[in-house]
Amino acid sequence: MKAFGIWVAGIIAVVLGGWGTWYLTRPPAVTTVEGMVYSGNAAVPNAMVEIDLTGDTSNTGAVHDLTDQNGAYKIEFTGLPSGSGATLRASASGFKAAKAQTLKSPLEPDTHLDFALVSVILSEAPAAVAGARPTPHLPVAAHVPIYIPKEASRATMIKIR
């Protein structure tokens, strides 16, 4: 019976030791916020995406990322407290800024959020010909362009703690 007790104690020690090693050496959780910025059916490169974290984030301030040639942005946070939320904004030269989007606490580990921007540049109407009836402009059916994720190596990485 004594040998059985030693055997059980050995197994428990191995399990607890393995769990302790995993717990102390596990990598910190990564929270990724990514998406794209587009206008009509075209991606908007070099758009600025701004994230303001809410909650106990040690006053990190706003985090910024520029979109790549495919209009994609990607920001990775390491060590965010569990009560963190965020407010995202997107803007680009020649476009009206998108309405701010709020992500409630707690943030999901992987969040995808796209922004549609509207151009502020209006095309000029053709000169009216005397006696000609104006031609109605038909709306253009816009579709969201295909999302091509930003390369992980080009992501903005922020370590909170």
Side-chain angles (χ1 to χ4, degrees):
M1 193 63 150
K2 184 176 179 183
F4 179 74
I6 293 173
W7 178 77
V8 170
I11 290 182
I12 290 172
V14 168
V15 169
L16 289 177
W19 180 82
T21 302
W22 169 82
Y23 183 79
L24 294 173
T25 61
R26 72 180 190 268
V30 176
T31 302
T32 302
V33 181
E34 65 182 339
M36 71 181 298
V37 179
Y38 64 94
S39 179
N41 56 3
V44 178
N46 297 318
M48 177 67 69
V49 177
E50 175 183 322
I51 297 180
D52 283 320
L53 296 173
T54 59
D56 180 25
T57 56
S58 304
N59 298 322
T60 58
V63 177
H64 300 88
D65 189 29
L66 286 176
T67 58
D68 63 9
Q69 69 274 12
N70 300 313
Y73 69 92
K74 184 174 194 167
I75 302 174
E76 293 181 348
F77 295 98
T78 304
L80 276 180
S82 60
S84 299
T87 301
L88 284 83
R89 294 174 189 79
S91 61
S93 180
F95 296 90
K96 288 176 59 177
K99 181 180 175 187
Q101 301 288 326
T102 301
L103 301 175
K104 297 197 188 280
S105 169
L107 288 177
E108 296 293 324
D110 294 310
T111 301
H112 181 96
L113 185 61
D114 295 338
F115 289 95
L117 299 182
V118 177
S119 175
V120 294
I121 302 170
L122 301 175
S123 60
E124 294 184 21
V129 178
R133 299 170 86 191
T135 307
H137 294 284
L138 300 175
V140 177
H143 64 281
V144 178
I146 295 173
Y147 173 64
I148 301 172
K150 192 172 191 178
E151 297 174 20
S153 62
R154 300 191 65 196
T156 300
M157 297 180 192
I158 307 297
K159 185 174 184 176
I160 302 298
R161 294 184 197 194

